[in-house]
Amino acid sequence: MGATKTDLFTRQQNEMANMAKALAHPARIAILQYLVKKNACVCGDLVEELGLAQATTSQHLKELKQAGLIQGSIEGASVCYCINPKVWKQYKELFNSFFKDVNLEGNCC
């Protein structure tokens, strides 16, 4: 597979693509929806909620944490996760702007 050549695109385009990549798995969407619904730090419920293996769930949590969408804190032997409100707001504003700026009233094939 070839290189992405991110230098051909704007900072905003690269940022949005990275954000979309972080969201591009149904397990990650399910994790985010669960954390939003709980509106609190969640420790051990995710594996049971998703029905995925611990290692798989951990990998998805790692991806979401690297993207900044979630944050974790260590409580005893477990790590608790919650939505990172600052980054969540950035995602929301960027995607809202992207979809809002599209005019679909013109002619198309």
Side-chain angles (χ1 to χ4, degrees):
M1 194 177 286
T4 307
K5 298 191 179 192
T6 55
D7 58 321
L8 297 175
F9 306 101
T10 67
R11 181 193 58 76
Q12 186 179 27
Q13 289 167 331
N14 281 297
E15 184 179 338
M16 188 169 218
N18 286 331
M19 289 177 170
K21 183 179 176 184
L23 298 172
H25 195 286
R28 294 184 205 140
I29 298 296
I31 289 169
L32 292 170
Q33 287 174 326
Y34 185 71
L35 293 176
V36 166
K37 181 176 78 173
K38 287 292 185 182
N39 197 23
C41 226
V42 176
C43 292
D45 301 343
L46 286 169
V47 172
E48 188 176 314
E49 177 71 20
L50 295 175
L52 298 173
Q54 174 66 50
T56 304
T57 302
S58 293
Q59 184 61 37
H60 288 301
L61 288 167
K62 178 183 173 187
E63 294 290 331
L64 291 170
K65 192 167 183 185
Q66 284 179 336
L69 273 167
I70 63 173
Q71 50 195 5
S73 61
I74 299 172
E75 293 186 14
S78 61
V79 180
C80 295
Y81 294 96
C82 60
I83 297 293
N84 180 336
K86 181 180 176 186
V87 176
W88 186 269
K89 183 179 177 186
Q90 290 172 338
Y91 273 55
K92 181 179 177 184
E93 288 172 356
L94 189 60
F95 281 105
N96 280 344
S97 173
F98 177 73
F99 287 109
K100 179 182 171 194
D101 292 343
V102 177
N103 181 0
L104 299 175
E105 299 299 319
N107 292 330
C108 185
C109 45

